[in-house]
Amino acid sequence: MALWSGRFEENTSNFALTWGASLETDKAMAEHDIAGSLAHARMLSEQGIISEEDFSAIEAGLDRILGQIQNGTFAWDGADEDIHMAVERALIADIGPAGARLHTGRSRNDQVATDIRLLAKELADDLLSENRALRDVLLDTAEKHVDAVMPGYTHLQHAQPVLLSHHLLAYFWMLTRDHTRLAAAYDAADENPLGAAALAGTSYPLDRERTTELLDFSATIPNSLDAVSDRDYLLDLEYACAVSMMHLSRLCEEIVLWSSSEFGFITLSDAWSTGSSIMPQKKNPDFAELTRGKTGRVVGDLVSLLVTCKGLPLAYNKDLQECKEGALDAADTLLDCYVVMKGMLATMSVHRDRMAAAARAGFTAATDVADYLAKKGMPFREAHAVVGQLVLSCEKRGCGLEDLSLDDLRAASGLFEADILGTLDPESIANARTTYGGTALDAVLIQLEEAREVLEADYLW
Ligand code: ARG
């Protein structure tokens, strides 16, 4: 018989009971459920709502249950609808009437909201530390290849040469903002719903501030209906996960491209790639592809929860039971992807020569030649046209802009002088971009220093 079966004359359909249960998913928050119950019971006894003896029995009983769950000896009963029922049933079986007093002034509605918030804080915390670890590896990788030149792209067409370190640092800053988003999701979850009871609060003299303190929440939710009925903090967490997956997915797409024969910029280590069952020569960037692929499911988790919550009247509705799996899935997926990304980046080899050669191809010096003319007084739009003509003639001759002689250049414009020679190689072009946030080595060194400082501050989070 279910713990709530008092007013029932017939049994609920077994199929419906099993179908409506959340026990399997709830196991992820078993420890949080017990922590919530311990805090509630302690507060009840401090308020004189239950006796100290009852509290001692409850505390010892919950401790035993926690131990059994942790060492795998807890007797799970498939008939229990959720973790709250499972723990309460085991407690009552163990300690009798004292156990039956635990649920005084409490409902599963504020209980589940408490559990999920504690779980969300833990998930966010784990994600925050893996995010920092990945950013550490990104910085190390950028430092290791600090002056390697590569083509910078727009529309995936060669645009202007950039430093690989600069390119990698772009991802560092994206992941830094992801850290901020995850931290905000942590803060959103960090408020105590316990004491809201079913929906309206309770007539028992609960001390809600006390459970806030005991459970290490930083605030007490001021409205009982809101406390039991919203899951927006999970949306915050899933949004942060989805955005970070999107960032990883972009980097993975680049890893897939860079490790192809066409690019040949990097080789992934054996430890972080796979082979083909039929083509002996193959080494596939599977884990980059899979990370890119898993972005879809995390975005799906976010959309799914948004749609689940839309249109729910106040306060608790059973629909909300659906919110846990997606949140766990999004967080677990991102956590693993951070680890995979770290492994791939830390062990990949970079082919500087291939990158530098590619940085030369596709007339990546064109902007600089036009800038040269503009700096000598030619209106930029006119310079753009002159260089366009030069590119066309190079294309016909099968050479690069840097291969043109001074005579070739002077035939296009009398403004060209000897000082243009030797400035059109990719290194010089990259190093000329000295603006703050630009790709010149000096600017990147400043950026690296700033990035280290930001990461150090995030470690104090
Ligand atoms: N298993 C439920 C959930 O996960 C717990 C709360 C159920 N409350 C209720 N009154 N049926 O949301």
Side-chain angles (χ1 to χ4, degrees), residues 372 401-407 409 416-425 428:
Y372 175 92
L401 285 166
E402 66 281 12
D403 302 320
L404 295 176
S405 68
L406 190 54
D407 286 346
L409 292 167
F416 284 116
E417 291 173 75
D419 60 351
I420 180 112
L421 301 172
T423 64
L424 298 182
D425 60 289
S428 309

Side-chain angles (χ1 to χ4, degrees), residues 22 26 81-82 84 108-109 112 316 318 320-321 324:
S22 62
D26 285 1
E81 185 181 327
D82 51 31
H84 325 298
R108 277 185 296 154
N109 297 349
V112 71
Y316 178 83
K318 182 79 166 177
L320 292 172
Q321 180 167 290
K324 291 169 257 183

Side-chain angles (χ1 to χ4, degrees), residues 369-381:
V369 181
D371 284 343
Y372 175 92
L373 292 174
K375 283 175 192 164
K376 299 249 167 164
M378 186 183 287
F380 183 80
R381 194 48 62 210

Side-chain angles (χ1 to χ4, degrees), residues 3-288:
L3 290 178
W4 40 251
S5 61
R7 60 99 67 221
F8 282 66
E9 288 183 304
E10 282 181 53
N11 287 332
T12 309
S13 136
N14 276 332
F15 183 87
L17 274 183
T18 311
W19 181 74
S22 62
L23 183 59
E24 275 317 306
T25 315
D26 285 1
K27 287 179 182 173
M29 51 185 210
E31 295 185 13
H32 311 90
D33 190 73
I34 290 173
S37 287
L38 273 172
H40 180 67
R42 185 181 297 277
M43 179 276 295
L44 288 180
S45 83
E46 286 171 1
Q47 294 297 102
I49 301 168
I50 62 171
S51 68
E52 279 174 31
E53 298 75 62
D54 281 350
F55 171 62
S56 301
I58 289 172
E59 189 179 34
L62 286 174
D63 262 353
R64 277 191 292 276
I65 293 172
L66 178 63
Q68 288 165 0
I69 290 176
Q70 284 170 339
N71 68 24
T73 57
F74 184 76
W76 295 105
D77 181 348
D80 287 323
E81 185 181 327
D82 51 31
I83 187 68
H84 325 298
M85 294 301 197
V87 171
E88 197 181 333
R89 181 198 292 277
L91 185 69
I92 294 170
D94 185 9
I95 65 170
R101 291 203 177 90
L102 170 62
H103 211 53
T104 311
R106 185 179 75 168
S107 154
R108 277 185 296 154
N109 297 349
D110 60 340
Q111 194 178 354
V112 71
T114 306
D115 295 4
I116 299 174
R117 282 175 175 272
L118 292 173
L119 175 67
K121 285 173 65 176
E122 190 178 290
L123 295 173
D125 212 19
D126 293 346
L127 287 166
L128 283 160
S129 63
E130 270 312 320
N131 170 291
R132 292 187 292 266
L134 171 57
R135 281 153 70 210
D136 232 328
V137 169
L138 264 172
L139 288 189
D140 290 347
T141 314
E143 253 159 29
K144 192 160 128 198
H145 308 290
V146 72
D147 59 350
V149 185
M150 64 176 281
Y153 298 86
T154 62
H155 315 270
L156 200 59
Q157 307 289 323
H158 286 204
Q160 296 171 356
V162 295
L163 298 186
L164 172 61
S165 51
H166 192 53
H167 193 109
L168 292 175
L169 278 164
Y171 287 102
F172 172 88
W173 297 113
M174 294 178 219
L175 285 158
T176 299
R177 293 190 295 279
D178 295 342
H179 191 276
T180 305
R181 271 180 281 272
L182 288 166
Y186 179 99
D187 289 342
D190 195 16
E191 296 186 346
N192 183 17
L194 198 57
L199 75 164
T202 164
S203 57
Y204 293 99
L206 301 189
D207 181 352
R208 293 194 59 210
E209 291 301 325
R210 180 68 176 132
T211 54
T212 296
E213 177 186 46
L214 288 169
L215 291 169
D216 202 24
F217 280 114
S218 58
T220 308
I221 298 178
N223 181 305
S224 62
L225 295 166
D226 182 34
V228 292
S229 67
D230 205 359
R231 299 289 184 265
D232 55 356
Y233 50 96
L234 286 185
L235 285 170
D236 292 346
L237 181 64
E238 291 182 32
Y239 172 66
C241 290
V243 175
S244 202
M245 284 299 299
M246 178 274 289
H247 287 148
L248 296 187
S249 178
R250 298 184 67 184
L251 180 51
C252 284
E253 169 65 9
E254 308 222 66
I255 288 178
V256 171
L257 287 171
W258 292 355
S259 60
S260 69
S261 313
E262 284 74 11
F263 279 76
F265 290 178
I266 59 169
T267 304
L268 289 177
S269 69
D270 287 357
W272 293 96
S273 25
T274 58
S276 155
S277 58
I278 175 169
M279 296 166 281
Q281 86 284 10
K282 296 262 313 217
K283 186 162 169 184
N284 295 328
D286 268 33
F287 305 117

